[in-house]
Amino acid sequence: MKIFKNKKKLNREISDLKKIAFVPTMGALHRGHISLIKKAKKKSNQVLVSIFINPKQFNSKQDYKKYPRKLNEDIKILKKIKINFLYLPTYRDIYMFKPKNKIYLDNFSKILCGKFRPSHFIGVVNVVNRFLEIIKPRFLYLGLKDFQQLSIIKSHVIKNKIKTEIIDCPTIREGNGMAISSRNLKLTKNQLINAGKIYKFIKQNKKLIFYKIYNNKKSEVIEKLIKLGANKIDYIECLNLNTKKICNSPKFRFNIFISYYIGNVRPVSYTHLTLPTKRIV
Ligand code: AMP
């Protein structure tokens, strides 16, 4: 595994490669990231992973500072999986050049997480676009766990006619059902148990939750989630995955999207939950 900390050296090594499979991450690697990397390895023998905690996608400095950092362990994991290239850029390496593409921010960025983390998606598209301009990968591996992020990046790639194919990767979950996330490291044992209860409740009551929201009784759902241990619920919505709009008719397929905190006074966790699509009528 070759490690690069600047794009000049990286480019010297990869500029002739035509089949790069790129997996961008913010590190503190777990089974979710590893599943993306393994999928990339099946497709290509030119796998490039990046680790970069992008300050521009955080809404608060505090959150950025607190984000888990485990570089030495990450390097060990990546060596063991045998990827070809690891890119660990500095802030300057990523941001001190003028990108060719214009950032395209799909309207989908205005709802769900976009409402609660105002500059988040523009920060995400900005950094991913820069990575794509530096690396020019043939494939880009992204997790469905961050469905909204994946979808917004796809729109940007299509709009700018970027020649990179995006590969959607399924969500890997903990035994209790919650999606594995680097942020889960910040949860206590009890909080993890509560997150599992919340997952189970939503999964088992998908239809009921839809009808509560549909009949203007979302507060009852929120009350229940708080009883189960959620600290604050940013949103809980039923989304029609085809139109990417809030689902307001029981005729359509939908997924439940929730973002909630678990923790004491200052929320520590931001957890997304996407459930499998199921026709409800
Ligand atoms: P992050 O390091 O959180 O920026 O994630 C890097 C990539 O891994 C993103 O495309 C995520 O959607 C994906 N990812 C993170 N957690 C999971 C998971 N539990 N299952 C599948 N993909 C994941």
Side-chain angles (χ1 to χ4, degrees):
M1 180 176 85
K2 291 187 176 168
I3 302 180
F4 297 90
K5 290 188 178 160
N6 91 45
K7 59 178 176 286
K8 265 194 187 155
K9 286 188 182 157
L10 176 72
N11 271 323
R12 242 178 267 148
E13 180 80 26
I14 66 167
S15 58
D16 289 338
L17 303 182
K18 299 273 181 281
K19 266 191 73 180
I20 293 176
F22 173 43
V23 187
T25 81
M26 297 209 294
L29 301 179
H30 52 64
R31 286 191 292 119
H33 298 116
I34 292 167
S35 73
L36 268 62
I37 296 168
K38 288 200 167 153
K39 207 167 168 178
K41 279 193 69 173
K42 276 195 188 149
K43 187 96 170 174
S44 169
N45 55 6
Q46 300 164 4
V47 173
L48 191 158
V49 175
S50 67
I51 298 178
F52 178 63
I53 306 178
N54 173 32
K56 289 192 192 280
Q57 71 187 68
F58 287 82
N59 272 347
S60 87
K61 273 200 177 143
Q62 225 11 45
D63 195 25
Y64 168 69
K65 273 192 192 154
K66 278 193 188 163
Y67 197 82
R69 288 159 169 84
K70 296 180 153 231
L71 190 56
N72 291 338
E73 287 169 45
D74 289 347
I75 291 176
K76 272 189 208 151
I77 293 171
L78 294 171
K79 276 188 179 160
K80 206 167 157 198
I81 318 179
K82 295 196 170 76
I83 59 152
N84 307 83
F85 311 108
L86 171 61
Y87 181 30
L88 303 171
T90 57
Y91 180 88
R92 284 183 64 83
D93 216 37
I94 293 293
Y95 286 110
M96 293 300 140
F97 74 96
K98 192 172 181 313
K100 282 192 213 122
N101 299 320
K102 221 173 126 192
I103 298 219
Y104 175 74
L105 209 54
D106 194 286
N107 270 341
F108 186 34
S109 65
K110 295 193 177 122
I111 60 170
L112 308 178
C113 282
K115 245 189 181 170
F116 291 87
R117 306 169 84 188
S119 51
H120 174 67
F121 287 122
I122 197 153
V124 169
V125 179
N126 187 358
V127 77
V128 172
N129 178 63
R130 284 165 183 272
F131 271 119
L132 295 181
E133 290 195 18
I134 294 168
I135 297 164
K136 300 183 184 65
R138 173 78 185 78
F139 307 106
L140 170 64
Y141 286 76
L142 297 173
L144 280 159
K145 170 186 150 271
D146 301 292
F147 177 82
Q148 201 177 5
Q149 163 177 291
L150 189 155
S151 177
I152 290 164
I153 293 172
K154 245 184 211 171
S155 302
H156 169 79
V157 164
I158 293 169
K159 195 82 178 174
N160 282 282
K161 301 191 173 73
I162 298 170
K163 290 191 194 98
T164 296
E165 185 184 334
I166 296 182
I167 315 281
D168 304 356
C169 302
T171 303
I172 308 298
R173 296 184 179 278
E174 306 278 7
N176 69 3
M178 68 186 295
I180 301 178
S181 161
S182 307
R183 290 177 188 272
N184 295 356
L185 290 169
K186 306 235 173 230
L187 297 176
T188 63
K189 221 173 165 184
N190 237 344
Q191 289 169 339
L192 282 168
I193 292 171
N194 288 343
K197 284 185 191 157
I198 289 170
Y199 174 81
K200 201 167 154 198
F201 167 75
I202 295 172
K203 191 166 179 172
Q204 289 175 349
N205 295 283
K206 189 176 174 185
K207 230 172 167 174
L208 178 78
I209 291 170
F210 173 83
Y211 280 106
K212 289 273 181 206
I213 296 174
Y214 187 57
N215 291 311
N216 285 325
K217 289 182 179 163
K218 194 190 274 186
S219 56
E220 288 179 21
V221 179
I222 289 177
E223 214 172 283
K224 175 71 184 173
L225 294 169
I226 287 175
K227 265 193 195 144
L228 289 173
N231 188 38
K232 177 165 98 77
I233 289 104
D234 269 354
Y235 61 80
I236 175 158
E237 299 287 1
C238 299
L239 191 84
N240 177 331
L241 293 194
N242 293 325
T243 60
K244 316 245 175 63
K245 298 222 162 92
I246 304 295
C247 182
N248 52 14
S249 161
K251 271 189 278 180
F252 301 112
R253 282 168 182 264
F254 68 91
N255 277 30
I256 293 182
F257 282 69
I258 178 169
S259 181
Y260 65 96
Y261 294 89
I262 290 191
N264 301 325
V265 188
R266 186 177 287 214
V268 291
S269 167
Y270 203 91
T271 307
H272 307 253
L273 180 104
T274 312
L275 295 170
T277 312
K278 214 163 139 193
R279 195 176 284 283
I280 61 157
V281 288

